[in-house]
Amino acid sequence: DGGITQSPKYLFRKEGQNVTLSCEQNLNHDAMYWYRQDPGQGLRLIYYSQIVNDFQKGDIAEGYSVSREKKESFPLTVTSAQKNPTAFYLCASSILGGRSQAPNEQYFGPGTRLTVT
Amino acid sequence: SQELEQSPQSLIVQEGKNLTINCTSSKTLYGLYWYKQKYGEGLIFLMMLQKGGEEKSHEKITAKLDEKKQQSSLHITASQPSHAGIYLCGADLQGAQKLVFGQGTRLTINP
């Protein structure tokens, strides 16, 4: 079965600790994305990557870091510098579209709910 | 303020009734995407619209993009309990191959 997996589904951490969220896809997609979702709000882009060993900041990158060492994997680290880390985190991937075309649809993982106390 | 505004933010309808959700931007939409989310889960892709005036349907759900490519609507006919969830629109506003999302519309279907 092809798809995107995120683990774990629920994660609890103490304030001041870094935590890494896993995202793996076997869809052979070039592009991968990390979003944050807070209650009553839509998704906000944290980081995205269109090719291995390269990534760009999204709208709310402060306090987060990523790596893209393999095409299939795009882990997100929530650092202690992130002031409000408690949220629902979603990973997505897509086929990279052409420059003059609208982006292809993104496929989403099931999400990880992070609670920091 | 949101770059993509969805309305209404929440909607409660009687089973069998029709409903419409809107998604509006002040900028040109290079691609408009509708997703559905059940609480605490990932997003499921519904439809993508790209051309002004485009309309797509799947089962009882129809999505339209206006001619100016600044507004989209999602219409559900004869709603069923399975339609309940959060509907989100996403769009590429700058041709940058990344999406911004509206705040979502929470749909409840009453039996």
Side-chain angles (χ1 to χ4, degrees):
Chain A
D1 281 341
I4 301 178
T5 56
Q6 291 185 245
S7 60
K9 190 165 178 64
Y10 299 97
L11 193 53
F12 298 88
R13 280 293 182 270
K14 294 288 187 184
E15 194 173 320
Q17 292 179 334
N18 291 353
V19 60
T20 297
L21 282 60
S22 166
C23 177
E24 304 277 333
Q25 55 97 359
N26 60 4
L27 299 167
N28 200 32
H29 286 170
D30 291 305
M32 296 186 75
Y33 310 82
W34 272 107
Y35 294 93
R36 169 184 173 137
Q37 187 178 32
D38 294 284
Q41 297 191 34
L43 278 62
R44 290 184 290 169
L45 183 64
I46 304 172
Y47 269 99
Y48 65 105
S49 168
Q50 297 180 337
I51 194 170
V52 173
N53 292 323
D54 189 41
F55 46 83
Q56 285 76 40
K57 292 182 179 179
D59 300 317
I60 55 165
E62 186 175 349
Y64 299 97
S65 66
V66 293
S67 63
R68 187 87 187 276
E69 297 178 1
K70 297 187 298 182
K71 188 176 184 178
E72 313 82 57
S73 179
F74 192 41
L76 173 75
T77 297
V78 184
T79 75
S80 56
Q82 167 52 231
K83 295 178 182 177
N84 296 297
T86 295
F88 188 52
Y89 291 87
L90 287 158
C91 179
S93 71
S94 72
I95 299 170
L96 199 57
R99 285 178 184 262
S100 60
Q101 299 173 341
N104 291 298
E105 64 268 24
Q106 295 181 13
Y107 293 81
F108 283 80
T112 292
R113 187 168 297 280
L114 173 65
T115 302
V116 176
T117 57
Chain B
S1 63
Q2 292 274 144
E3 290 185 284
L4 276 184
E5 288 285 346
Q6 278 188 244
S7 63
Q9 292 190 22
S10 67
L11 191 55
I12 302 173
V13 300
Q14 198 81 19
E15 183 177 352
K17 297 294 186 184
N18 302 339
L19 63 103
T20 299
I21 298 168
N22 293 302
C23 178
T24 303
S25 174
S26 58
K27 299 178 181 178
T28 299
L29 306 174
Y30 287 88
L32 188 287
Y33 306 77
W34 284 102
Y35 288 88
K36 180 185 175 185
Q37 183 184 30
K38 292 195 173 180
Y39 181 75
E41 297 182 11
L43 277 64
I44 304 297
F45 172 73
L46 296 175
M47 276 174 274
M48 172 196 170
L49 303 166
Q50 191 172 345
K51 299 176 183 175
E54 188 174 8
E55 178 176 322
K56 288 185 177 178
S57 294
H58 178 67
E59 297 182 343
K60 295 186 178 181
I61 301 177
T62 300
K64 301 178 184 179
L65 182 62
D66 74 338
E67 289 288 345
K68 290 176 62 179
K69 294 172 57 176
Q70 289 186 306
Q71 183 169 339
S72 178
S73 61
L74 186 82
H75 184 77
I76 298 177
T77 304
S79 58
Q80 300 169 346
S82 61
H83 289 129
I86 301 170
Y87 289 82
L88 295 108
C89 64
D92 180 1
L93 299 180
Q94 301 171 331
Q97 292 288 316
K98 58 177 183 172
L99 303 184
V100 294
F101 284 85
Q103 73 271 48
T105 296
R106 184 179 292 272
L107 174 62
T108 302
I109 308 294
N110 282 340

Short mmCIF file of all heavy atoms in Angstrom, two decimals, chain A residues 9 33 35 37 40-43 45 48 50 59 88 90 96-99 101-106 108-110 113, chain B residues 2 9 30-31 33 35 37 39-43 45 48 50 86 88 92 95-104:
data_model
loop_
_atom_site.label_atom_id
_atom_site.label_comp_id
_atom_site.label_asym_id
_atom_site.label_seq_id
_atom_site.Cartn_x
_atom_site.Cartn_y
_atom_site.Cartn_z
N LYS A 9 1.20 8.80 16.77
CA LYS A 9 -0.04 9.54 16.61
C LYS A 9 -0.20 10.58 17.73
O LYS A 9 -0.71 11.66 17.51
CB LYS A 9 -1.24 8.60 16.62
CG LYS A 9 -2.54 9.30 16.22
CD LYS A 9 -3.62 8.30 15.88
CE LYS A 9 -4.93 9.00 15.52
NZ LYS A 9 -4.78 9.83 14.29
N TYR A 33 6.03 18.30 2.73
CA TYR A 33 5.63 19.51 3.45
C TYR A 33 5.32 19.18 4.90
O TYR A 33 4.83 18.10 5.21
CB TYR A 33 4.35 20.10 2.82
CG TYR A 33 4.40 20.27 1.32
CD1 TYR A 33 4.14 19.19 0.48
CD2 TYR A 33 4.69 21.50 0.75
CE1 TYR A 33 4.18 19.33 -0.90
CE2 TYR A 33 4.72 21.65 -0.63
CZ TYR A 33 4.47 20.56 -1.44
OH TYR A 33 4.51 20.70 -2.81
N TYR A 35 2.99 20.93 8.05
CA TYR A 35 2.02 21.94 8.45
C TYR A 35 1.72 21.80 9.93
O TYR A 35 1.82 20.73 10.51
CB TYR A 35 0.70 21.76 7.70
CG TYR A 35 0.77 21.99 6.21
CD1 TYR A 35 1.00 20.92 5.35
CD2 TYR A 35 0.57 23.25 5.67
CE1 TYR A 35 1.04 21.11 3.97
CE2 TYR A 35 0.60 23.45 4.30
CZ TYR A 35 0.84 22.37 3.46
OH TYR A 35 0.88 22.57 2.10
N GLN A 37 -1.53 22.68 12.59
CA GLN A 37 -2.95 23.03 12.67
C GLN A 37 -3.32 23.28 14.12
O GLN A 37 -3.10 22.44 14.98
CB GLN A 37 -3.82 21.92 12.08
CG GLN A 37 -5.29 22.29 11.98
CD GLN A 37 -6.11 21.18 11.34
OE1 GLN A 37 -5.82 20.00 11.49
NE2 GLN A 37 -7.15 21.56 10.60
N GLY A 40 -9.59 25.70 15.29
CA GLY A 40 -10.27 26.82 14.64
C GLY A 40 -9.46 27.51 13.56
O GLY A 40 -9.90 28.51 13.01
N GLN A 41 -8.28 26.96 13.27
CA GLN A 41 -7.45 27.56 12.24
C GLN A 41 -7.17 26.56 11.15
O GLN A 41 -7.22 25.36 11.34
CB GLN A 41 -6.14 28.06 12.84
CG GLN A 41 -6.31 29.15 13.88
CD GLN A 41 -4.98 29.78 14.24
OE1 GLN A 41 -4.09 29.92 13.40
NE2 GLN A 41 -4.83 30.17 15.49
N GLY A 42 -6.83 27.08 10.02
CA GLY A 42 -6.44 26.20 8.92
C GLY A 42 -5.01 25.72 9.12
O GLY A 42 -4.44 25.84 10.20
N LEU A 43 -4.44 25.19 8.07
CA LEU A 43 -3.07 24.70 8.14
C LEU A 43 -2.09 25.84 7.86
O LEU A 43 -2.33 26.65 6.98
CB LEU A 43 -2.86 23.60 7.09
CG LEU A 43 -3.33 22.20 7.44
CD1 LEU A 43 -4.82 22.15 7.68
CD2 LEU A 43 -2.93 21.23 6.34
N LEU A 45 2.01 26.52 6.94
CA LEU A 45 3.18 25.83 6.42
C LEU A 45 4.41 26.13 7.27
O LEU A 45 4.76 27.29 7.49
CB LEU A 45 3.42 26.25 4.97
CG LEU A 45 4.56 25.59 4.22
CD1 LEU A 45 4.29 24.09 4.07
CD2 LEU A 45 4.73 26.24 2.85
N TYR A 48 9.07 23.16 3.75
CA TYR A 48 8.81 22.28 2.64
C TYR A 48 10.11 21.98 1.90
O TYR A 48 11.07 22.74 1.99
CB TYR A 48 7.74 22.83 1.70
CG TYR A 48 8.09 24.10 0.97
CD1 TYR A 48 8.41 24.10 -0.38
CD2 TYR A 48 8.03 25.33 1.64
CE1 TYR A 48 8.69 25.28 -1.05
CE2 TYR A 48 8.32 26.51 0.98
CZ TYR A 48 8.65 26.48 -0.36
OH TYR A 48 8.94 27.66 -1.02
N GLN A 50 11.52 20.33 -1.93
CA GLN A 50 11.17 19.90 -3.28
C GLN A 50 12.20 18.92 -3.84
O GLN A 50 11.98 18.34 -4.91
CB GLN A 50 11.02 21.10 -4.20
CG GLN A 50 9.87 22.02 -3.77
CD GLN A 50 9.69 23.22 -4.68
OE1 GLN A 50 10.62 23.63 -5.37
NE2 GLN A 50 8.50 23.78 -4.69
N ASP A 59 5.79 29.65 6.38
CA ASP A 59 5.34 30.88 7.02
C ASP A 59 5.66 30.95 8.52
O ASP A 59 5.69 32.02 9.10
CB ASP A 59 3.82 31.02 6.84
CG ASP A 59 3.45 31.07 5.36
OD1 ASP A 59 4.16 31.77 4.60
OD2 ASP A 59 2.47 30.41 4.97
N PHE A 88 -1.44 20.11 16.38
CA PHE A 88 -1.58 18.94 15.53
C PHE A 88 -0.69 19.17 14.31
O PHE A 88 -0.81 20.19 13.65
CB PHE A 88 -3.06 18.79 15.12
CG PHE A 88 -3.39 17.52 14.40
CD1 PHE A 88 -3.04 16.29 14.92
CD2 PHE A 88 -4.09 17.56 13.20
CE1 PHE A 88 -3.38 15.11 14.27
CE2 PHE A 88 -4.42 16.39 12.53
CZ PHE A 88 -4.06 15.17 13.06
N LEU A 90 0.83 17.98 10.64
CA LEU A 90 0.49 17.19 9.45
C LEU A 90 1.63 17.24 8.44
O LEU A 90 2.18 18.31 8.16
CB LEU A 90 -0.78 17.72 8.80
CG LEU A 90 -2.08 17.42 9.55
CD1 LEU A 90 -3.17 18.40 9.16
CD2 LEU A 90 -2.52 15.99 9.24
N LEU A 96 5.96 16.99 -7.93
CA LEU A 96 6.31 18.38 -8.17
C LEU A 96 5.77 18.80 -9.54
O LEU A 96 6.01 18.14 -10.55
CB LEU A 96 7.83 18.53 -8.14
CG LEU A 96 8.38 19.93 -7.92
CD1 LEU A 96 7.83 20.51 -6.64
CD2 LEU A 96 9.90 19.88 -7.90
N GLY A 97 4.99 19.90 -9.56
CA GLY A 97 4.42 20.36 -10.80
C GLY A 97 5.40 21.23 -11.58
O GLY A 97 6.43 21.64 -11.06
N GLY A 98 5.06 21.52 -12.82
CA GLY A 98 5.88 22.40 -13.64
C GLY A 98 5.71 23.84 -13.19
O GLY A 98 4.73 24.19 -12.53
N ARG A 99 6.68 24.67 -13.53
CA ARG A 99 6.65 26.06 -13.05
C ARG A 99 5.42 26.81 -13.52
O ARG A 99 4.90 27.67 -12.84
CB ARG A 99 7.91 26.80 -13.53
CG ARG A 99 9.16 26.41 -12.78
CD ARG A 99 10.38 27.13 -13.32
NE ARG A 99 11.58 26.66 -12.65
CZ ARG A 99 12.14 27.31 -11.65
NH1 ARG A 99 11.65 28.43 -11.23
NH2 ARG A 99 13.23 26.83 -11.08
N GLN A 101 2.52 25.54 -14.10
CA GLN A 101 1.30 24.81 -13.78
C GLN A 101 0.93 25.00 -12.32
O GLN A 101 1.77 25.30 -11.49
CB GLN A 101 1.51 23.31 -14.04
CG GLN A 101 1.85 22.96 -15.48
CD GLN A 101 2.22 21.50 -15.60
OE1 GLN A 101 2.56 20.86 -14.61
NE2 GLN A 101 2.15 20.98 -16.81
N ALA A 102 -0.35 24.79 -12.05
CA ALA A 102 -0.78 24.76 -10.66
C ALA A 102 -0.15 23.54 -9.99
O ALA A 102 0.09 22.53 -10.64
CB ALA A 102 -2.29 24.68 -10.57
N PRO A 103 0.13 23.63 -8.69
CA PRO A 103 0.72 22.49 -8.00
C PRO A 103 -0.19 21.27 -8.07
O PRO A 103 -1.40 21.38 -8.13
CB PRO A 103 0.86 22.96 -6.56
CG PRO A 103 0.62 24.40 -6.56
CD PRO A 103 -0.14 24.75 -7.79
N ASN A 104 0.42 20.09 -8.03
CA ASN A 104 -0.37 18.88 -7.94
C ASN A 104 -0.93 18.74 -6.53
O ASN A 104 -0.41 19.33 -5.58
CB ASN A 104 0.49 17.67 -8.28
CG ASN A 104 0.86 17.65 -9.75
OD1 ASN A 104 -0.01 17.57 -10.61
ND2 ASN A 104 2.14 17.75 -10.03
N GLU A 105 -1.98 17.96 -6.41
CA GLU A 105 -2.61 17.81 -5.09
C GLU A 105 -1.64 17.17 -4.12
O GLU A 105 -0.79 16.36 -4.50
CB GLU A 105 -3.90 16.98 -5.18
CG GLU A 105 -3.70 15.54 -5.60
CD GLU A 105 -3.82 15.36 -7.10
OE1 GLU A 105 -3.60 16.34 -7.85
OE2 GLU A 105 -4.12 14.23 -7.51
N GLN A 106 -1.78 17.55 -2.86
CA GLN A 106 -0.94 17.01 -1.80
C GLN A 106 -1.68 15.87 -1.11
O GLN A 106 -2.89 15.93 -0.91
CB GLN A 106 -0.59 18.11 -0.79
CG GLN A 106 0.26 19.21 -1.41
CD GLN A 106 0.64 20.30 -0.43
OE1 GLN A 106 0.48 20.16 0.77
NE2 GLN A 106 1.16 21.39 -0.95
N PHE A 108 -1.87 13.68 2.35
CA PHE A 108 -1.57 13.92 3.75
C PHE A 108 -1.44 12.64 4.56
O PHE A 108 -2.13 11.65 4.31
CB PHE A 108 -2.65 14.80 4.38
CG PHE A 108 -2.54 16.24 4.00
CD1 PHE A 108 -3.02 16.70 2.78
CD2 PHE A 108 -1.94 17.15 4.87
CE1 PHE A 108 -2.90 18.04 2.42
CE2 PHE A 108 -1.82 18.49 4.52
CZ PHE A 108 -2.30 18.94 3.29
N GLY A 109 -0.56 12.71 5.57
CA GLY A 109 -0.47 11.65 6.55
C GLY A 109 -1.57 11.81 7.59
O GLY A 109 -2.32 12.78 7.56
N PRO A 110 -1.65 10.88 8.56
CA PRO A 110 -2.71 10.91 9.57
C PRO A 110 -2.49 11.94 10.67
O PRO A 110 -3.40 12.21 11.45
CB PRO A 110 -2.70 9.50 10.15
CG PRO A 110 -1.30 9.04 9.93
CD PRO A 110 -0.85 9.66 8.66
N ARG A 113 -0.34 14.43 17.09
CA ARG A 113 -0.77 15.44 18.05
C ARG A 113 0.30 15.55 19.13
O ARG A 113 0.52 14.60 19.88
CB ARG A 113 -2.12 15.08 18.65
CG ARG A 113 -2.68 16.20 19.54
CD ARG A 113 -4.14 15.97 19.89
NE ARG A 113 -5.00 15.98 18.71
CZ ARG A 113 -5.44 17.07 18.10
NH1 ARG A 113 -5.10 18.27 18.54
NH2 ARG A 113 -6.23 16.97 17.05
N GLN B 2 -6.65 36.40 7.08
CA GLN B 2 -6.45 35.22 6.27
C GLN B 2 -6.33 35.60 4.80
O GLN B 2 -7.08 36.43 4.30
CB GLN B 2 -7.65 34.27 6.44
CG GLN B 2 -7.78 33.64 7.79
CD GLN B 2 -6.95 32.36 7.90
OE1 GLN B 2 -6.40 32.08 8.95
NE2 GLN B 2 -6.87 31.63 6.83
N GLN B 9 -17.91 29.52 9.07
CA GLN B 9 -16.91 28.78 9.84
C GLN B 9 -17.48 27.49 10.37
O GLN B 9 -16.75 26.52 10.58
CB GLN B 9 -16.39 29.65 10.98
CG GLN B 9 -15.56 30.83 10.50
CD GLN B 9 -14.86 31.54 11.63
OE1 GLN B 9 -14.63 30.99 12.70
NE2 GLN B 9 -14.52 32.80 11.40
N TYR B 30 -4.02 30.34 -8.45
CA TYR B 30 -3.39 29.56 -9.52
C TYR B 30 -3.86 28.12 -9.52
O TYR B 30 -3.74 27.41 -10.49
CB TYR B 30 -1.86 29.64 -9.39
CG TYR B 30 -1.32 30.98 -9.79
CD1 TYR B 30 -1.22 32.01 -8.87
CD2 TYR B 30 -0.93 31.24 -11.10
CE1 TYR B 30 -0.74 33.26 -9.23
CE2 TYR B 30 -0.44 32.48 -11.47
CZ TYR B 30 -0.36 33.49 -10.54
OH TYR B 30 0.10 34.71 -10.90
N GLY B 31 -4.36 27.68 -8.40
CA GLY B 31 -4.93 26.34 -8.28
C GLY B 31 -5.73 26.36 -7.00
O GLY B 31 -5.31 26.94 -6.01
N TYR B 33 -7.88 23.93 -4.20
CA TYR B 33 -7.99 22.54 -3.78
C TYR B 33 -8.99 22.46 -2.63
O TYR B 33 -8.94 23.24 -1.69
CB TYR B 33 -6.63 22.02 -3.30
CG TYR B 33 -5.55 22.22 -4.33
CD1 TYR B 33 -4.99 23.48 -4.53
CD2 TYR B 33 -5.09 21.16 -5.11
CE1 TYR B 33 -4.03 23.69 -5.49
CE2 TYR B 33 -4.11 21.36 -6.07
CZ TYR B 33 -3.59 22.62 -6.25
OH TYR B 33 -2.63 22.82 -7.22
N TYR B 35 -10.35 19.96 0.40
CA TYR B 35 -10.04 18.79 1.21
C TYR B 35 -11.11 18.62 2.28
O TYR B 35 -11.75 19.57 2.70
CB TYR B 35 -8.69 18.96 1.93
CG TYR B 35 -7.48 18.87 1.05
CD1 TYR B 35 -6.97 19.99 0.39
CD2 TYR B 35 -6.81 17.65 0.87
CE1 TYR B 35 -5.85 19.90 -0.40
CE2 TYR B 35 -5.68 17.56 0.08
CZ TYR B 35 -5.21 18.69 -0.55
OH TYR B 35 -4.08 18.60 -1.33
N GLN B 37 -11.57 16.81 6.22
CA GLN B 37 -10.83 16.28 7.37
C GLN B 37 -11.80 15.83 8.44
O GLN B 37 -12.72 16.57 8.80
CB GLN B 37 -9.90 17.36 7.93
CG GLN B 37 -9.03 16.91 9.09
CD GLN B 37 -8.21 18.06 9.67
OE1 GLN B 37 -8.60 19.21 9.64
NE2 GLN B 37 -7.02 17.73 10.19
N TYR B 39 -12.13 14.93 12.42
CA TYR B 39 -11.42 15.49 13.57
C TYR B 39 -10.25 14.60 13.99
O TYR B 39 -10.40 13.40 14.18
CB TYR B 39 -12.36 15.69 14.75
CG TYR B 39 -11.67 16.29 15.94
CD1 TYR B 39 -11.32 17.64 15.96
CD2 TYR B 39 -11.30 15.49 17.02
CE1 TYR B 39 -10.64 18.18 17.04
CE2 TYR B 39 -10.63 16.03 18.10
CZ TYR B 39 -10.30 17.37 18.11
OH TYR B 39 -9.63 17.91 19.17
N GLY B 40 -9.06 15.19 14.11
CA GLY B 40 -7.90 14.45 14.58
C GLY B 40 -7.26 13.55 13.54
O GLY B 40 -6.41 12.72 13.88
N GLU B 41 -7.64 13.74 12.28
CA GLU B 41 -7.08 12.89 11.22
C GLU B 41 -6.47 13.75 10.12
O GLU B 41 -6.55 14.98 10.14
CB GLU B 41 -8.17 11.98 10.66
CG GLU B 41 -8.74 11.02 11.68
CD GLU B 41 -9.79 10.09 11.09
OE1 GLU B 41 -9.93 10.05 9.86
OE2 GLU B 41 -10.45 9.41 11.89
N GLY B 42 -5.89 13.08 9.14
CA GLY B 42 -5.30 13.80 8.02
C GLY B 42 -6.36 14.29 7.05
O GLY B 42 -7.56 14.04 7.22
N LEU B 43 -5.92 15.00 6.02
CA LEU B 43 -6.83 15.56 5.03
C LEU B 43 -7.00 14.60 3.86
O LEU B 43 -6.04 13.97 3.42
CB LEU B 43 -6.27 16.90 4.50
CG LEU B 43 -6.54 18.15 5.31
CD1 LEU B 43 -5.88 18.09 6.67
CD2 LEU B 43 -6.07 19.38 4.54
N PHE B 45 -8.10 14.47 -0.06
CA PHE B 45 -8.28 15.31 -1.24
C PHE B 45 -9.63 15.05 -1.89
O PHE B 45 -10.03 13.90 -2.10
CB PHE B 45 -7.14 15.03 -2.23
CG PHE B 45 -7.30 15.68 -3.57
CD1 PHE B 45 -7.12 17.04 -3.70
CD2 PHE B 45 -7.64 14.94 -4.68
CE1 PHE B 45 -7.26 17.66 -4.93
CE2 PHE B 45 -7.79 15.53 -5.92
CZ PHE B 45 -7.59 16.90 -6.04
N MET B 48 -9.68 19.42 -7.36
CA MET B 48 -8.81 20.54 -7.70
C MET B 48 -9.42 21.29 -8.87
O MET B 48 -9.91 20.67 -9.83
CB MET B 48 -7.42 20.03 -8.10
CG MET B 48 -6.52 21.12 -8.66
SD MET B 48 -5.11 20.43 -9.52
CE MET B 48 -4.45 21.88 -10.30
N GLN B 50 -8.67 24.59 -11.59
CA GLN B 50 -7.55 25.38 -12.08
C GLN B 50 -7.99 26.50 -13.02
O GLN B 50 -7.42 27.59 -13.00
CB GLN B 50 -6.57 24.46 -12.79
CG GLN B 50 -5.24 25.07 -13.13
CD GLN B 50 -4.25 24.06 -13.66
OE1 GLN B 50 -4.44 22.85 -13.52
NE2 GLN B 50 -3.17 24.53 -14.26
N ILE B 86 -14.66 18.52 8.62
CA ILE B 86 -14.13 19.87 8.38
C ILE B 86 -13.71 19.95 6.91
O ILE B 86 -12.96 19.11 6.44
CB ILE B 86 -12.94 20.16 9.30
CG1 ILE B 86 -13.37 20.05 10.77
CG2 ILE B 86 -12.37 21.55 9.02
CD1 ILE B 86 -12.21 20.07 11.75
N LEU B 88 -11.75 22.10 4.08
CA LEU B 88 -10.73 23.15 3.93
C LEU B 88 -10.45 23.42 2.46
O LEU B 88 -10.36 22.47 1.66
CB LEU B 88 -9.42 22.75 4.60
CG LEU B 88 -9.45 22.59 6.12
CD1 LEU B 88 -9.35 21.13 6.51
CD2 LEU B 88 -8.32 23.38 6.76
N ASP B 92 -2.85 27.94 -4.33
CA ASP B 92 -1.55 28.50 -4.68
C ASP B 92 -1.80 29.94 -5.11
O ASP B 92 -2.40 30.19 -6.14
CB ASP B 92 -0.92 27.68 -5.80
CG ASP B 92 0.44 28.21 -6.21
OD1 ASP B 92 0.92 29.20 -5.61
OD2 ASP B 92 1.04 27.64 -7.15
N GLY B 95 1.82 31.23 -7.53
CA GLY B 95 2.49 30.37 -8.51
C GLY B 95 3.78 29.81 -7.95
O GLY B 95 4.72 29.54 -8.70
N ALA B 96 3.83 29.64 -6.61
CA ALA B 96 5.07 29.24 -5.95
C ALA B 96 5.13 27.76 -5.63
O ALA B 96 6.03 27.32 -4.91
CB ALA B 96 5.24 30.04 -4.65
N GLN B 97 4.18 26.99 -6.14
CA GLN B 97 4.16 25.54 -5.89
C GLN B 97 4.01 25.22 -4.41
O GLN B 97 4.53 24.21 -3.94
CB GLN B 97 5.42 24.88 -6.46
CG GLN B 97 5.49 24.88 -7.97
CD GLN B 97 4.51 23.92 -8.61
OE1 GLN B 97 4.36 22.79 -8.17
NE2 GLN B 97 3.82 24.37 -9.66
N LYS B 98 3.34 26.08 -3.66
CA LYS B 98 2.99 25.76 -2.27
C LYS B 98 1.61 26.35 -2.00
O LYS B 98 1.17 27.28 -2.67
CB LYS B 98 4.02 26.32 -1.30
CG LYS B 98 4.22 27.81 -1.37
CD LYS B 98 5.21 28.28 -0.32
CE LYS B 98 5.36 29.77 -0.35
NZ LYS B 98 6.16 30.30 0.78
N LEU B 99 0.93 25.76 -1.01
CA LEU B 99 -0.45 26.12 -0.76
C LEU B 99 -0.62 26.90 0.53
O LEU B 99 0.12 26.71 1.50
CB LEU B 99 -1.31 24.86 -0.66
CG LEU B 99 -1.30 23.90 -1.85
CD1 LEU B 99 -2.28 22.76 -1.59
CD2 LEU B 99 -1.63 24.62 -3.14
N VAL B 100 -1.61 27.80 0.53
CA VAL B 100 -2.11 28.39 1.76
C VAL B 100 -3.53 27.86 1.94
O VAL B 100 -4.21 27.53 0.95
CB VAL B 100 -2.11 29.93 1.73
CG1 VAL B 100 -0.70 30.45 1.67
CG2 VAL B 100 -2.93 30.46 0.57
N PHE B 101 -3.96 27.76 3.19
CA PHE B 101 -5.26 27.16 3.48
C PHE B 101 -6.18 28.16 4.18
O PHE B 101 -5.74 29.03 4.93
CB PHE B 101 -5.09 25.92 4.38
CG PHE B 101 -4.57 24.74 3.64
CD1 PHE B 101 -3.21 24.56 3.45
CD2 PHE B 101 -5.44 23.78 3.14
CE1 PHE B 101 -2.72 23.47 2.76
CE2 PHE B 101 -4.95 22.68 2.44
CZ PHE B 101 -3.60 22.52 2.25
N GLY B 102 -7.47 27.98 3.93
CA GLY B 102 -8.47 28.70 4.70
C GLY B 102 -8.57 28.10 6.10
O GLY B 102 -7.96 27.07 6.39
N GLN B 103 -9.39 28.72 6.95
CA GLN B 103 -9.47 28.29 8.34
C GLN B 103 -10.37 27.08 8.54
O GLN B 103 -10.42 26.51 9.61
CB GLN B 103 -9.92 29.44 9.24
CG GLN B 103 -11.39 29.82 9.10
CD GLN B 103 -11.63 30.86 8.04
OE1 GLN B 103 -11.13 30.75 6.92
NE2 GLN B 103 -12.41 31.86 8.36
N GLY B 104 -11.06 26.67 7.47
CA GLY B 104 -11.88 25.47 7.56
C GLY B 104 -13.33 25.78 7.90
O GLY B 104 -13.65 26.80 8.53
#
